[in-house]
Coordinates of all heavy atoms in Angstrom, one line a residue:
L267 N 9.1 8.1 -4.7 CA 8.3 8.3 -5.9 C 8.7 9.5 -6.7 O 8.8 10.6 -6.2 CB 6.8 8.5 -5.4 CG 5.7 8.7 -6.5 CD1 5.6 7.5 -7.5 CD2 4.4 9.0 -5.8
T268 N 8.8 9.3 -8.0 CA 9.1 10.4 -9.0 C 7.9 10.4 -9.9 O 7.5 9.3 -10.4 CB 10.4 10.1 -9.7 OG1 11.5 10.1 -8.8 CG2 10.6 11.3 -10.8
V269 N 7.4 11.5 -10.2 CA 6.2 11.6 -11.1 C 6.6 12.5 -12.3 O 7.0 13.6 -12.2 CB 5.0 12.2 -10.4 CG1 3.8 12.1 -11.3 CG2 4.7 11.5 -9.1
V270 N 6.5 11.9 -13.5 CA 6.7 12.7 -14.8 C 5.3 13.2 -15.2 O 4.4 12.4 -15.5 CB 7.3 11.8 -15.8 CG1 7.5 12.6 -17.1 CG2 8.7 11.2 -15.3
V271 N 5.1 14.5 -15.2 CA 3.8 15.0 -15.4 C 3.6 15.7 -16.8 O 4.5 16.3 -17.3 CB 3.5 16.1 -14.3 CG1 2.1 16.6 -14.4 CG2 3.7 15.5 -12.9
N272 N 2.4 15.4 -17.4 CA 2.1 16.0 -18.6 C 2.1 17.5 -18.6 O 1.5 18.1 -17.6 CB 0.7 15.5 -19.0 CG 0.1 16.2 -20.3 OD1 0.9 16.4 -21.2 ND2 -1.1 16.6 -20.2
T273 N 2.7 18.2 -19.5 CA 2.6 19.7 -19.6 C 2.0 20.2 -20.9 O 2.0 21.4 -21.2 CB 4.0 20.3 -19.4 OG1 4.9 19.8 -20.5 CG2 4.7 19.9 -18.1
A274 N 1.5 19.2 -21.7 CA 0.9 19.6 -23.0 C -0.5 20.3 -22.8 O -1.0 20.8 -23.8 CB 0.8 18.5 -23.9
D275 N -1.1 20.3 -21.6 CA -2.3 21.0 -21.3 C -2.0 22.5 -21.0 O -2.9 23.3 -20.8 CB -3.0 20.5 -20.1 CG -3.6 19.1 -20.4 OD1 -3.3 18.5 -21.4 OD2 -4.4 18.6 -19.5
D276 N -0.7 22.8 -20.9 CA -0.3 24.1 -20.4 C -0.8 25.2 -21.3 O -0.9 25.0 -22.6 CB 1.2 24.2 -20.2 CG 1.7 23.4 -19.1 OD1 1.0 22.5 -18.6 OD2 2.9 23.6 -18.7
V277 N -1.1 26.4 -20.8 CA -1.6 27.5 -21.6 C -1.2 28.8 -20.9 O -1.0 28.8 -19.7 CB -3.2 27.3 -21.6 CG1 -3.9 27.4 -20.3 CG2 -3.8 28.2 -22.6
T278 N -1.1 29.8 -21.7 CA -0.9 31.2 -21.2 C -2.2 32.0 -21.3 O -2.7 32.1 -22.4 CB 0.2 31.9 -22.0 OG1 1.4 31.1 -21.9 CG2 0.5 33.3 -21.4
L279 N -2.7 32.5 -20.2 CA -3.9 33.3 -20.2 C -3.7 34.5 -19.4 O -3.2 34.4 -18.2 CB -5.1 32.5 -19.6 CG -5.5 31.2 -20.4 CD1 -6.6 30.5 -19.6 CD2 -6.1 31.6 -21.8
H280 N -4.1 35.7 -19.8 CA -3.9 36.9 -19.1 C -2.4 37.1 -18.7 O -2.2 37.6 -17.6 CB -4.8 37.0 -17.9 CG -6.2 36.6 -18.1 ND1 -7.1 37.5 -18.8 CD2 -7.0 35.5 -17.9 CE1 -8.3 36.9 -19.0 NE2 -8.3 35.8 -18.4
G281 N -1.5 36.6 -19.5 CA -0.1 36.7 -19.2 C 0.4 35.7 -18.2 O 1.6 35.7 -17.8
L282 N -0.5 34.8 -17.7 CA -0.1 33.8 -16.7 C 0.2 32.5 -17.3 O -0.5 32.0 -18.2 CB -1.2 33.6 -15.7 CG -1.6 34.9 -14.9 CD1 -2.9 34.5 -14.0 CD2 -0.5 35.3 -13.9
R283 N 1.3 31.9 -17.0 CA 1.6 30.6 -17.5 C 1.0 29.5 -16.5 O 1.3 29.5 -15.3 CB 3.2 30.3 -17.6 CG 3.5 29.1 -18.3 CD 3.1 29.1 -19.8 NE 3.4 27.9 -20.5 CZ 2.8 27.5 -21.6 NH1 1.9 28.3 -22.2 NH2 3.1 26.4 -22.2
I284 N 0.1 28.7 -17.1 CA -0.7 27.8 -16.3 C -0.3 26.4 -16.7 O -0.3 26.0 -17.8 CB -2.2 28.1 -16.5 CG1 -2.5 29.6 -16.2 CG2 -3.1 27.1 -15.7 CD1 -3.9 30.0 -16.7
S285 N -0.1 25.5 -15.7 CA 0.3 24.1 -15.9 C -0.7 23.3 -15.1 O -0.5 22.9 -14.0 CB 1.7 23.8 -15.3 OG 2.7 24.6 -16.1
P286 N -1.9 23.1 -15.7 CA -3.0 22.4 -14.9 C -2.7 21.1 -14.3 O -3.0 20.8 -13.2 CB -4.1 22.3 -16.0 CG -3.8 23.3 -17.0 CD -2.3 23.4 -17.1
D287 N -2.0 20.2 -15.1 CA -1.7 18.9 -14.6 C -0.7 18.9 -13.4 O -0.8 18.2 -12.4 CB -1.3 17.9 -15.7 CG -2.5 17.6 -16.6 OD1 -3.6 18.1 -16.3 OD2 -2.3 16.9 -17.6
L288 N 0.4 19.7 -13.6 CA 1.4 19.8 -12.5 C 0.7 20.3 -11.3 O 0.9 19.8 -10.2 CB 2.5 20.8 -12.9 CG 3.6 20.2 -13.8 CD1 4.5 21.4 -14.3 CD2 4.5 19.3 -12.9
D289 N -0.2 21.3 -11.4 CA -0.9 21.9 -10.2 C -1.8 20.8 -9.6 O -1.9 20.7 -8.4 CB -1.6 23.1 -10.6 CG -0.7 24.3 -10.9 OD1 0.5 24.1 -10.6 OD2 -1.1 25.3 -11.4
S290 N -2.6 20.1 -10.4 CA -3.5 19.1 -9.9 C -2.7 18.0 -9.0 O -3.1 17.7 -7.9 CB -4.2 18.3 -11.0 OG -5.2 19.2 -11.6
V291 N -1.6 17.6 -9.6 CA -0.8 16.6 -8.8 C -0.2 17.3 -7.6 O -0.2 16.7 -6.5 CB 0.4 16.0 -9.7 CG1 1.3 15.1 -8.9 CG2 -0.2 15.3 -10.9
M292 N 0.4 18.5 -7.7 CA 1.0 19.2 -6.6 C 0.0 19.4 -5.5 O 0.2 19.2 -4.3 CB 1.6 20.4 -7.0 CG 2.3 21.2 -6.0 SD 3.2 22.7 -6.7 CE 1.8 23.8 -7.0
Y293 N -1.2 20.0 -5.8 CA -2.2 20.3 -4.8 C -2.8 19.0 -4.2 O -3.0 19.0 -3.0 CB -3.4 21.1 -5.4 CG -3.1 22.5 -5.9 CD1 -3.9 23.0 -6.9 CD2 -2.1 23.2 -5.4 CE1 -3.7 24.3 -7.4 CE2 -1.8 24.5 -5.9 CZ -2.6 25.0 -6.9 OH -2.4 26.3 -7.4
T294 N -3.0 18.0 -5.0 CA -3.6 16.7 -4.4 C -2.6 16.1 -3.5 O -3.0 15.7 -2.4 CB -3.9 15.8 -5.6 OG1 -4.9 16.4 -6.5 CG2 -4.6 14.5 -5.0
L295 N -1.3 15.9 -3.9 CA -0.4 15.3 -3.0 C 0.0 16.2 -1.8 O 0.5 15.7 -0.8 CB 0.9 14.8 -3.8 CG 0.6 13.9 -4.9 CD1 1.9 13.4 -5.5 CD2 -0.3 12.7 -4.5
G296 N -0.1 17.5 -2.0 CA 0.3 18.4 -0.9 C -0.8 18.9 0.0 O -0.6 19.6 0.9
G297 N -2.1 18.4 -0.3 CA -3.2 18.7 0.6 C -3.9 20.0 0.4 O -4.6 20.5 1.2
G298 N -3.7 20.6 -0.8 CA -4.4 21.9 -1.1 C -5.5 21.8 -2.1 O -6.0 22.8 -2.6
I299 N -5.8 20.6 -2.5 CA -6.8 20.4 -3.6 C -8.2 20.6 -3.2 O -8.6 20.4 -2.0 CB -6.7 19.0 -4.3 CG1 -7.3 18.9 -5.7 CG2 -7.3 17.9 -3.3 CD1 -6.4 19.5 -6.7
D300 N -9.1 21.1 -4.1 CA -10.5 21.2 -3.8 C -11.1 19.8 -4.0 O -11.1 19.3 -5.2 CB -11.2 22.2 -4.8 CG -12.7 22.3 -4.6 OD1 -13.4 21.3 -4.5 OD2 -13.1 23.4 -4.5
E301 N -11.5 19.1 -3.0 CA -11.9 17.7 -3.1 C -13.1 17.5 -3.9 O -13.3 16.5 -4.6 CB -12.1 17.1 -1.7 CG -10.9 17.1 -0.8 CD -9.8 16.0 -1.3 OE1 -10.2 15.2 -2.1 OE2 -8.7 16.1 -0.8
T302 N -14.0 18.5 -3.9 CA -15.3 18.3 -4.6 C -15.1 18.3 -6.1 O -15.5 17.4 -6.8 CB -16.3 19.4 -4.2 OG1 -16.2 19.5 -2.8 CG2 -17.7 19.0 -4.6
R303 N -14.4 19.4 -6.6 CA -14.1 19.5 -8.0 C -13.0 18.5 -8.5 O -13.0 18.0 -9.6 CB -13.7 20.9 -8.4 CG -14.7 22.0 -8.2 CD -14.2 23.3 -8.6 NE -13.1 23.7 -7.8 CZ -12.4 24.9 -7.9 NH1 -12.8 25.8 -8.8 NH2 -11.4 25.2 -7.2
G304 N -12.1 18.2 -7.6 CA -11.0 17.3 -7.9 C -9.8 18.1 -8.5 O -8.8 17.5 -8.8
W305 N -10.0 19.4 -8.8 CA -8.9 20.2 -9.3 C -9.0 21.6 -8.7 O -10.0 22.0 -8.1 CB -9.0 20.3 -10.8 CG -10.3 20.7 -11.4 CD1 -11.3 19.9 -11.7 CD2 -10.8 22.1 -11.5 NE1 -12.4 20.6 -12.1 CE2 -12.2 21.9 -12.0 CE3 -10.3 23.3 -11.3 CZ2 -13.0 23.0 -12.3 CZ3 -11.1 24.4 -11.6 CH2 -12.5 24.3 -12.1
G306 N -8.0 22.4 -8.8 CA -8.0 23.8 -8.2 C -7.8 23.7 -6.7 O -7.8 22.7 -6.0
R307 N -7.7 24.9 -6.1 CA -7.4 25.1 -4.7 C -8.7 25.0 -3.9 O -9.8 25.4 -4.3 CB -6.7 26.4 -4.4 CG -5.3 26.5 -4.9 CD -4.4 25.8 -4.0 NE -4.2 26.6 -2.8 CZ -4.6 26.4 -1.6 NH1 -5.4 25.3 -1.3 NH2 -4.4 27.2 -0.6
S308 N -8.5 24.4 -2.7 CA -9.7 24.4 -1.7 C -10.0 25.8 -1.3 O -9.2 26.7 -1.3 CB -9.3 23.5 -0.5 OG -8.1 23.9 0.0
E309 N -11.2 26.0 -0.8 CA -11.7 27.3 -0.3 C -11.3 28.4 -1.2 O -10.7 29.4 -0.8 CB -11.2 27.5 1.1 CG -12.0 26.6 2.1 CD -11.2 26.4 3.4 OE1 -10.6 27.3 3.9 OE2 -11.1 25.2 3.8

Side-chain angles (χ1 to χ4, degrees):
L267 176 63
T268 300
V269 188
V270 178
V271 184
N272 172 44
T273 60
D275 290 11
D276 291 15
V277 63
T278 301
L279 296 173
H280 310 289
L282 300 172
R283 190 63 183 163
I284 303 170
S285 298
D287 288 357
L288 276 168
D289 289 349
S290 290
V291 176
M292 181 175 76
Y293 294 154
T294 301
L295 301 188
I299 199 78
D300 181 310
E301 295 290 346
T302 315
R303 292 182 301 182
W305 50 269
R307 291 280 285 108
S308 52
E309 288 157 46

